[in-house]
């Protein structure tokens, strides 16, 4: 029996979109926080600058977003990067040590040079990960674990084993300044997201990432330089992790190599997964990564608003994340009949089969 496939309605497409449940969870969290804490949803303009708890959440989510964007690209190729938290510590340690040794931290040139050197070092660390994985064929989990373990030792080597503190107004503005009334981290996150989106959606890079993630061998046989692609994404991931370290540590101007970036690799993976990217590689969602970063940051704020014990913070986050993953489970939706399936319109008459008879 044949027929035409019915086009799903707009509501059906929205409900079955992979971002539906994460967005619903994010909005529900914001509403719940607004009920418990009146004024949570208010956004004010004070002296030309945006202020409010939603603005704070957006600003604080940039660190997660930068980490998750790099992690998303790596996961799209079927890999994983456990070193992003350590790269954050290395990047910040390099930048603040350079500023402290320069003796002229208030100079914008010194601050920009520190940023460039820090990002360069982060890119080198990413290239090292890429060399181990694409060049030597070491499993990504093991290769990036090397920097996960050794990275903080490298950062401590830059700071001399101490917590480096210094002062530089230009550098501090990276994490606490404003651009046209918008927090600088938000502007940085928006610009980086736009660049990454253009890079992977307006060029062939996105398709190549997905082809490597779906079947590395087949893509290589088809002419895709999978090693170069893999190398590139780890360099990008390392650079974005370095930038995340600068944005995260700039407000305090203190490089505590032992604590900065702790467990950030897990938060980055969590943000990517919440956003709908599968860990087995292939298709990925940059927009979902934004939603995942916002959810994680909102959960941190919700723990304070709901007056939950600090020791239950991770448990609370785990429960919410599990609920989102279960709600988005395709297998669960299959079992209860909520997953969209192509349906044939029985009212449309099936075309008659014609038999060709050889003369």
């Amino acid at each position: 029996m044949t027929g035409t496939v019915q086009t799903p309605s707009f509501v059906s497409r929205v409900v079955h979109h992979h971002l539906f449940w994460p967005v619903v969870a994010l909005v529900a969290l914001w509403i719940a926080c607004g009920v418990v804490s009146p004024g949570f949803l208010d956004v004010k303009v004070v002296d030309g600058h945006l202020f409010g708890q939603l603005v704070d959440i957006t600003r604080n989510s940039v660190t997660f977003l930068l980490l998750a964007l790099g992690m998303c690209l790596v996961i799209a190729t079927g890999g994983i990067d456990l070193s992003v938290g350590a790269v954050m510590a290395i990047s910040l340690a390099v930048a603040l040590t350079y500023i402290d040794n320069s003796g002229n931290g208030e100079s914008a040139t010194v601050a920009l040079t520190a940023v460039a050197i820090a990002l360069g070092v982060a890119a080198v660390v990413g290239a090292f990960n890429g060399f181990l994985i694409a060049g030597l064929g070491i499993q990504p989990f093991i290769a990036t674990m090397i920097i996960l373990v050794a990275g903080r030792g490298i950062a401590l080597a830059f700071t001399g084993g101490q917590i480096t503190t210094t002062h530089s107004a230009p550098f501090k503005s990276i994490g606490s300044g404003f651009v046209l009334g918008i927090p600088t981290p938000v502007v940085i996150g928006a610009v980086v997201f736009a660049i990454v989106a253009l890079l992977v959606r307006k060029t062939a890079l996105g398709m190549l990432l997905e082809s490597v993630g779906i079947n590395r061998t087949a893509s290589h046989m088809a002419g895709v330089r999978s090693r170069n692609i893999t190398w590139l994404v780890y360099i990008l991931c390392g650079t974005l992790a370095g930038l995340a370290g600068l944005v995260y540590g700039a407000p305090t101007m203190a490089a505590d190599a032992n604590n900065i970036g702790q467990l950030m690799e897990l938060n980055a993976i969590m943000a990517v997964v919440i956003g709908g990217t599968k860990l087995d590689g292939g298709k990925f969602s940059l927009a979902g990564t934004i939603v995942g970063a916002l959810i994680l940051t909102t959960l941190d704020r919700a723990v304070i608003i709901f007056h939950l014990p600090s020791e239950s913070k991770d448990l609370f986050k785990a429960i919410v994340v599990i609920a989102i993953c279960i709600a988005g489970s395709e297998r669960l939706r299959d079992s209860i009949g909520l997953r969209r399936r192509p349906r044939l319109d029985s009212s449309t008459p099936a075309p008659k089969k014609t038999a060709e008879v050889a003369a």
Side-chain angles (χ1 to χ4, degrees), residues 52-107:
Q53 297 207 48
L54 287 180
V55 176
D56 291 340
I57 288 174
T58 306
R59 172 169 46 201
N60 296 335
S61 68
V62 172
T63 301
F64 291 139
L65 174 63
L66 294 174
L67 292 174
L69 282 176
M71 187 69 76
C72 182
L73 300 181
V74 168
I75 289 176
T77 64
I80 197 80
D81 191 345
L82 300 180
S83 68
V84 292
V87 175
M88 286 179 63
I90 294 173
S91 173
L92 186 61
V94 169
L96 294 190
T97 300
Y98 176 81
I99 293 174
D100 192 42
N101 292 337
S102 70
N104 188 19
E106 299 304 324
S107 169

Coordinates of all heavy atoms in Angstrom, one line a residue, residues 52-107:
G52 N 20.6 43.0 36.5 CA 19.5 42.1 36.9 C 20.0 40.7 37.0 O 21.1 40.4 36.5
Q53 N 19.2 39.9 37.6 CA 19.7 38.5 37.8 C 19.8 37.7 36.5 O 20.7 36.9 36.3 CB 18.8 37.8 38.8 CG 18.7 38.4 40.1 CD 18.4 37.4 41.2 OE1 18.9 36.3 41.3 NE2 17.4 37.8 42.1
L54 N 18.9 38.0 35.5 CA 19.0 37.4 34.2 C 20.2 37.8 33.5 O 20.9 37.0 32.8 CB 17.7 37.7 33.4 CG 16.4 37.0 33.8 CD1 15.3 37.4 32.9 CD2 16.6 35.5 33.8
V55 N 20.6 39.1 33.7 CA 21.8 39.6 33.1 C 23.0 38.9 33.7 O 24.0 38.5 33.0 CB 21.9 41.1 33.2 CG1 23.3 41.6 32.7 CG2 20.8 41.8 32.6
D56 N 23.0 38.7 35.0 CA 24.1 38.0 35.7 C 24.2 36.6 35.2 O 25.3 36.0 35.0 CB 23.9 38.0 37.2 CG 24.1 39.4 37.8 OD1 24.7 40.3 37.1 OD2 23.6 39.6 38.9
I57 N 23.0 35.9 35.0 CA 23.1 34.5 34.6 C 23.6 34.4 33.2 O 24.5 33.6 32.8 CB 21.6 33.9 34.6 CG1 21.2 33.7 36.1 CG2 21.5 32.7 33.8 CD1 19.8 33.3 36.2
T58 N 23.2 35.4 32.3 CA 23.8 35.4 30.9 C 25.3 35.6 30.9 O 26.0 34.9 30.2 CB 23.1 36.5 30.1 OG1 21.7 36.3 30.2 CG2 23.5 36.4 28.7
R59 N 25.7 36.5 31.8 CA 27.2 36.8 31.8 C 27.9 35.6 32.4 O 29.0 35.2 31.8 CB 27.4 38.0 32.7 CG 28.9 38.3 33.0 CD 29.1 39.6 33.7 NE 28.2 39.9 34.7 CZ 27.9 41.1 35.2 NH1 28.4 42.1 34.7 NH2 27.0 41.2 36.2
N60 N 27.4 35.0 33.4 CA 28.1 33.9 34.0 C 28.1 32.6 33.1 O 29.0 31.8 33.2 CB 27.6 33.5 35.4 CG 27.7 34.7 36.4 OD1 28.7 35.5 36.3 ND2 26.9 34.7 37.4
S61 N 27.1 32.6 32.3 CA 27.0 31.4 31.4 C 28.0 31.4 30.2 O 28.2 30.4 29.6 CB 25.6 31.3 30.8 OG 25.3 32.3 29.9
V62 N 28.7 32.6 30.0 CA 29.6 32.7 28.9 C 30.8 31.7 29.1 O 31.3 31.1 28.1 CB 30.1 34.1 28.8 CG1 31.2 34.2 27.7 CG2 28.9 35.0 28.3
T63 N 31.2 31.5 30.3 CA 32.3 30.6 30.6 C 31.9 29.2 30.1 O 32.7 28.5 29.4 CB 32.7 30.6 32.0 OG1 33.1 31.9 32.4 CG2 33.9 29.6 32.3
F64 N 30.8 28.7 30.6 CA 30.3 27.4 30.1 C 30.1 27.4 28.6 O 30.4 26.4 28.0 CB 28.9 27.1 30.8 CG 29.0 26.9 32.3 CD1 28.0 27.4 33.1 CD2 30.0 26.1 32.8 CE1 28.1 27.1 34.5 CE2 30.1 25.9 34.2 CZ 29.2 26.4 35.0
L65 N 29.6 28.5 28.0 CA 29.3 28.5 26.6 C 30.6 28.3 25.8 O 30.7 27.5 24.8 CB 28.6 29.8 26.2 CG 28.4 30.0 24.7 CD1 27.5 28.9 24.1 CD2 27.9 31.4 24.4
L66 N 31.7 29.1 26.2 CA 32.9 29.0 25.4 C 33.5 27.6 25.5 O 34.0 27.0 24.5 CB 33.9 30.0 26.0 CG 33.5 31.5 25.8 CD1 34.5 32.4 26.5 CD2 33.5 31.8 24.3
L67 N 33.5 27.0 26.7 CA 34.0 25.7 26.9 C 33.1 24.7 26.1 O 33.7 23.8 25.4 CB 34.0 25.2 28.4 CG 34.9 26.0 29.3 CD1 34.7 25.5 30.7 CD2 36.4 25.6 28.9
A68 N 31.8 24.9 26.1 CA 30.9 23.9 25.5 C 31.0 24.0 24.0 O 30.8 23.0 23.3 CB 29.5 24.1 26.0
L69 N 31.2 25.2 23.4 CA 31.3 25.3 22.0 C 32.5 24.5 21.4 O 32.4 23.7 20.5 CB 31.5 26.8 21.6 CG 30.3 27.7 21.6 CD1 30.7 29.1 21.3 CD2 29.3 27.2 20.6
G70 N 33.7 24.6 22.1 CA 34.8 23.8 21.7 C 34.5 22.3 21.9 O 34.9 21.5 21.0
M71 N 33.9 22.0 23.0 CA 33.6 20.6 23.3 C 32.6 20.0 22.3 O 32.7 18.8 21.9 CB 33.1 20.5 24.7 CG 32.9 19.0 25.2 SD 34.5 18.2 25.5 CE 35.0 18.9 27.1
C72 N 31.7 20.9 21.9 CA 30.7 20.4 20.9 C 31.3 20.0 19.6 O 31.0 19.0 19.0 CB 29.7 21.5 20.7 SG 28.3 21.1 19.6
L73 N 32.3 20.8 19.2 CA 33.0 20.5 17.9 C 33.8 19.2 18.0 O 33.8 18.4 17.1 CB 33.9 21.7 17.5 CG 33.2 23.0 17.3 CD1 34.2 24.1 16.8 CD2 32.1 22.9 16.2
V74 N 34.4 19.1 19.2 CA 35.2 17.8 19.4 C 34.3 16.6 19.4 O 34.6 15.6 18.8 CB 36.0 18.0 20.7 CG1 36.6 16.6 21.1 CG2 37.1 19.0 20.6
I75 N 33.2 16.7 20.2 CA 32.3 15.6 20.3 C 31.7 15.3 18.9 O 31.4 14.1 18.6 CB 31.2 15.9 21.3 CG1 31.8 15.9 22.7 CG2 30.1 14.9 21.2 CD1 30.9 16.3 23.8
A76 N 31.5 16.3 18.1 CA 30.9 16.1 16.7 C 31.8 15.1 15.9 O 31.3 14.4 15.0 CB 30.7 17.4 16.0
T77 N 33.1 15.1 16.2 CA 34.0 14.3 15.5 C 34.2 12.9 16.2 O 35.0 12.1 15.7 CB 35.4 14.9 15.4 OG1 36.0 15.1 16.7 CG2 35.4 16.3 14.7
G78 N 33.4 12.7 17.2 CA 33.5 11.4 18.0 C 34.5 11.4 19.0 O 34.9 10.4 19.6
G79 N 35.1 12.6 19.4 CA 36.1 12.7 20.4 C 35.6 13.2 21.7 O 34.4 13.4 21.9
I80 N 36.5 13.5 22.6 CA 36.2 14.1 23.9 C 37.5 14.9 24.4 O 38.6 14.5 24.0 CB 35.8 13.1 24.9 CG1 35.1 13.7 26.1 CG2 37.0 12.3 25.4 CD1 33.7 14.0 25.9
D81 N 37.3 16.0 25.1 CA 38.4 16.7 25.6 C 38.3 17.0 27.1 O 37.5 17.8 27.5 CB 38.5 18.1 24.9 CG 39.9 18.8 25.1 OD1 40.5 18.4 26.1 OD2 40.2 19.7 24.4
L82 N 39.0 16.2 27.9 CA 39.0 16.3 29.3 C 39.9 17.4 29.9 O 40.0 17.6 31.1 CB 39.3 15.0 30.0 CG 38.4 13.8 29.6 CD1 38.9 12.5 30.3 CD2 37.0 14.1 29.9
S83 N 40.6 18.1 29.0 CA 41.7 19.0 29.5 C 41.2 20.4 29.5 O 42.0 21.3 29.9 CB 42.9 18.9 28.5 OG 42.6 19.4 27.2
V84 N 40.0 20.7 29.2 CA 39.6 22.1 29.1 C 39.7 22.9 30.4 O 40.0 24.1 30.4 CB 38.1 22.3 28.5 CG1 38.1 21.8 27.0 CG2 37.1 21.5 29.3
G85 N 39.3 22.2 31.5 CA 39.5 22.9 32.8 C 40.9 23.2 33.1 O 41.2 24.3 33.6
A86 N 41.8 22.3 32.9 CA 43.2 22.6 33.1 C 43.8 23.7 32.2 O 44.6 24.5 32.6 CB 44.0 21.3 32.9
V87 N 43.3 23.7 30.9 CA 43.7 24.8 30.0 C 43.2 26.1 30.5 O 43.9 27.1 30.3 CB 43.1 24.5 28.6 CG1 43.5 25.6 27.6 CG2 43.7 23.2 28.0
M88 N 42.1 26.2 31.1 CA 41.6 27.4 31.7 C 42.6 28.0 32.7 O 43.0 29.2 32.7 CB 40.3 27.2 32.4 CG 39.1 27.1 31.5 SD 37.5 26.8 32.5 CE 37.5 28.4 33.4
A89 N 43.1 27.0 33.6 CA 44.1 27.4 34.6 C 45.4 27.9 34.0 O 46.0 28.9 34.4 CB 44.3 26.3 35.6
I90 N 45.8 27.2 33.0 CA 47.1 27.5 32.3 C 47.0 28.9 31.6 O 47.9 29.7 31.8 CB 47.5 26.5 31.2 CG1 47.8 25.1 31.9 CG2 48.7 26.9 30.4 CD1 48.0 24.0 30.9
S91 N 45.9 29.1 30.9 CA 45.7 30.4 30.2 C 45.7 31.6 31.2 O 46.4 32.6 30.9 CB 44.4 30.3 29.4 OG 44.1 31.6 28.9
L92 N 45.0 31.5 32.2 CA 44.9 32.6 33.2 C 46.2 32.8 33.9 O 46.7 33.9 34.1 CB 43.8 32.3 34.2 CG 43.5 33.4 35.2 CD1 43.1 34.7 34.5 CD2 42.5 33.0 36.2
A93 N 46.9 31.7 34.2 CA 48.2 31.8 34.9 C 49.2 32.5 34.0 O 50.0 33.4 34.5 CB 48.7 30.4 35.3
V94 N 49.2 32.1 32.7 CA 50.1 32.8 31.8 C 49.9 34.3 31.7 O 50.8 35.1 31.7 CB 50.0 32.1 30.4 CG1 50.8 32.9 29.3 CG2 50.6 30.7 30.5
A95 N 48.6 34.6 31.5 CA 48.2 36.0 31.3 C 48.6 36.9 32.5 O 49.2 37.9 32.4 CB 46.7 36.1 31.0
L96 N 48.2 36.4 33.7 CA 48.4 37.2 34.9 C 49.9 37.3 35.3 O 50.4 38.3 35.8 CB 47.6 36.7 36.1 CG 46.1 36.8 35.9 CD1 45.3 36.5 37.2 CD2 45.7 38.2 35.5
T97 N 50.6 36.2 35.0 CA 52.1 36.2 35.3 C 52.8 37.2 34.4 O 53.6 38.0 34.8 CB 52.7 34.8 35.1 OG1 52.0 33.9 36.0 CG2 54.1 34.8 35.4
Y98 N 52.3 37.3 33.1 CA 52.9 38.2 32.2 C 52.6 39.7 32.6 O 53.5 40.5 32.6 CB 52.4 38.0 30.8 CG 52.9 39.0 29.8 CD1 54.2 38.9 29.2 CD2 52.1 40.1 29.4 CE1 54.6 39.8 28.3 CE2 52.6 41.1 28.5 CZ 53.8 40.9 27.9 OH 54.3 41.8 27.1
I99 N 51.4 39.9 33.0 CA 51.0 41.3 33.4 C 51.8 41.7 34.7 O 52.3 42.8 34.8 CB 49.5 41.4 33.7 CG1 48.7 41.2 32.3 CG2 49.1 42.7 34.3 CD1 47.2 41.1 32.5
D100 N 51.9 40.7 35.6 CA 52.6 41.0 36.9 C 54.0 41.3 36.7 O 54.6 42.2 37.3 CB 52.4 39.8 37.8 CG 52.8 40.1 39.3 OD1 52.5 41.2 39.7 OD2 53.5 39.3 39.9
N101 N 54.7 40.5 35.8 CA 56.1 40.8 35.5 C 56.4 42.0 34.6 O 57.5 42.5 34.6 CB 56.7 39.5 34.8 CG 56.7 38.3 35.7 OD1 56.7 38.4 36.9 ND2 56.7 37.1 35.1
S102 N 55.3 42.5 33.9 CA 55.6 43.6 33.0 C 55.8 44.9 33.8 O 56.4 45.8 33.4 CB 54.4 43.8 32.1 OG 53.2 44.2 32.8
G103 N 55.2 45.0 35.0 CA 55.3 46.2 35.8 C 54.4 47.3 35.3 O 54.5 48.4 35.8
N104 N 53.6 47.1 34.3 CA 52.8 48.2 33.7 C 51.4 47.6 33.3 O 51.0 47.6 32.2 CB 53.5 48.8 32.5 CG 52.8 50.0 32.0 OD1 52.0 50.6 32.7 ND2 53.0 50.4 30.7
G105 N 50.8 47.0 34.3 CA 49.5 46.3 34.1 C 48.4 47.2 33.6 O 47.4 46.7 33.0
E106 N 48.5 48.5 33.8 CA 47.4 49.4 33.4 C 47.5 49.7 31.9 O 46.6 50.4 31.3 CB 47.5 50.7 34.2 CG 47.3 50.5 35.7 CD 46.0 49.8 36.0 OE1 45.0 50.1 35.3 OE2 46.0 49.0 36.9
S107 N 48.5 49.3 31.2 CA 48.7 49.5 29.8 C 47.8 48.6 29.0 O 47.8 47.4 29.2 CB 50.1 49.4 29.4 OG 50.2 49.3 27.9

